Amino acid sequence: MVTVKLYGMPYSTCTKRVYTTAQELDDVKVDIVPVDLASGAHKDPAYIDNYHPFGIIPVLEDEDGTKIYESRAISRYLVAKYGKGSPLLPDSSDIKAYGQFEQAASIEYSSFDPPASSLAFEKVFGPGRGLKTNEELVKKYIDTLNAKVEGYERILSKQKYLAGNTFTLADLFHLPYGAMVNDLDPSILSSKPHVKKWWDDISSRESWKAAQNIQL
Amino acid sequence: MVTVKLYGMPYSTCTKRVYTTAQELDDVKVDIVPVDLASGAHKDPAYIDNYHPFGIIPVLEDEDGTKIYESRAISRYLVAKYGKGSPLLPDSSDIKAYGQFEQAASIEYSSFDPPASSLAFEKVFGPGRGLKTNEELVKKYIDTLNAKVEGYERILSKQKYLAGNTFTLADLFHLPYGAMVNDLDPSILSSKPHVKKWWDDISSRESWKAAQNIQL
């Protein structure tokens, strides 16, 4: 069992993304090192200099001292290093599976994340910092998500997961913002039968449940 | 030499991204199959059914019939298949290089693409469809890009490219929207010395010049 440090916070969507990935691996324990955004710890010059050039969270510090940021990159790194051969991350030598996986991972980044994270900001994270919700933008993000879900339904009516019939990081990456979207408007992920089935499946994984109860 | 089909358009940023990648490889010729967005060819039910479930461009059709969409996924697929061992895309068995590459590729997707593509939409693609530019949003996207460029400067003051001292797809992915950003406001990518040097370097590659002169 290896123990890695993750500079982050339990409520952070991107911290949860990495934590969920680690839970899918047999031999990785994650110790969260809190970076208190409320007190501006992420803007400390020493943090920016040593951990994250953009002053955000999370950052991984591996046992050998390797540091990586960007939650999806950290997740890929953890699987590549500690989950060799795992179907979570197809190797590029299996060109067909690799192409399908990268396609699915990119769909999450281009089609799902922008409206989902913007909706979460408008309704939850922004108001948490005292900003007023812009209802016109909320409607725009929900409309976009509903339109994108039609593409997801087309994909998921032909295969069980986004990259094929096996659960991969491309599905997992949806969990943190997907859960917020689902809380804010349960109709989005439940209006299409195959999307609903997929969402119910991936959101009931033990790894994700654990990420919602991170203990410092 | 292999010839692949790319359903796209010469003016499309994402089509140019894939075309540039192919130009970096010795043995890949790309034939563009035009999908005329102006006439709504991308919303044709047969196109959505057979090529792209989200009704957008580009889509690759490989010689063996394999189809992949999402420009970054297509680019990775082309390098993995036809540029084996190329430094453009580190293999996951080289864990350090792989982690650095995925981190850099994710920076492009999370920090650069959202404000850059939104700025391009507000100032170029939107008005091209008869929409009025929202100058408040333009200012917001430019402010975001200027803030992100500070993180880029911190990275590029320590290494030549985003994933280390070698040019990779993570740099290349910036080219299409970077060029539009640079046309719209040349100060963004030239205000910081290391960012300017990086941009001048990557934007002068022959592969990118070729992508700006795609012949159908």
Side-chain angles (χ1 to χ4, degrees), chain A residues 133-178:
Chain A
T133 296
N134 180 330
E135 293 297 345
E136 206 177 315
L137 284 179
V138 166
K139 185 182 175 316
K140 182 183 143 188
Y141 300 138
I142 290 177
D143 288 350
T144 303
L145 283 165
N146 278 320
K148 296 297 183 184
V149 160
E150 290 185 28
Y152 276 71
E153 182 68 8
R154 286 185 195 109
I155 297 167
L156 294 166
S157 64
K158 294 177 186 166
Q159 58 194 42
K160 202 172 166 198
Y161 296 103
L162 277 187
N165 284 315
T166 307
F167 177 80
T168 68
L169 286 182
D171 304 293
L172 186 154
F173 288 168
H174 289 76
L175 286 166
Y177 280 116

Side-chain angles (χ1 to χ4, degrees), chain A residues 48-50 52-56 66-73 76-78 80-81 84 89-93 95-96 98-100 102-107 109-111 137 140-141 147-152 154-155 158, chain B residues 48-50 52-56 66-73 76-78 80-81 84 89-93 95-96 98-100 102-107 109-111 137 140-141 147-152 154-155 158:
Chain A
I48 288 178
D49 225 36
N50 293 314
H52 204 309
F54 293 90
I56 50 177
T66 302
K67 289 177 197 157
I68 310 255
Y69 48 84
E70 292 286 309
S71 64
R72 295 166 185 83
R76 285 167 173 260
Y77 170 91
L78 285 175
K81 183 158 182 190
K84 248 192 178 2
L89 180 69
D91 191 85
S92 62
S93 60
I95 189 67
K96 185 120 188 150
Y98 177 74
Q100 293 296 312
E102 292 299 342
Q103 173 179 283
S106 187
I107 290 169
Y109 230 145
S110 69
S111 292
L137 284 179
K140 182 183 143 188
Y141 300 138
K148 296 297 183 184
V149 160
E150 290 185 28
Y152 276 71
R154 286 185 195 109
I155 297 167
K158 294 177 186 166
Chain B
I48 288 178
D49 224 38
N50 293 314
H52 205 308
F54 293 89
I56 50 178
T66 302
K67 289 177 197 160
I68 310 256
Y69 48 84
E70 293 286 308
S71 63
R72 295 165 185 84
R76 285 168 173 258
Y77 169 91
L78 285 175
K81 184 158 182 190
K84 244 186 183 4
L89 179 69
D91 191 84
S92 62
S93 61
I95 189 68
K96 186 119 187 150
Y98 177 74
Q100 293 296 313
E102 292 299 341
Q103 173 178 281
S106 188
I107 290 169
Y109 230 145
S110 69
S111 293
L137 284 179
K140 182 183 142 186
Y141 300 139
K148 297 297 184 184
V149 160
E150 290 185 26
Y152 276 71
R154 287 185 194 109
I155 297 166
K158 295 177 186 166

Side-chain angles (χ1 to χ4, degrees), chain B residues 31-59:
Chain B
D31 275 355
I32 304 276
V33 181
V35 179
D36 184 16
L37 306 190
S39 69
H42 56 310
K43 299 302 177 193
D44 185 274
Y47 177 80
I48 288 178
D49 224 38
N50 293 314
Y51 289 94
H52 205 308
F54 293 89
I56 50 178
I57 58 171
V59 179

Side-chain angles (χ1 to χ4, degrees), chain A residues 170-187:
Chain A
D171 304 293
L172 186 154
F173 288 168
H174 289 76
L175 286 166
Y177 280 116
M180 293 188 76
V181 164
N182 205 43
D183 282 349
L184 291 166
D185 184 343
S187 76

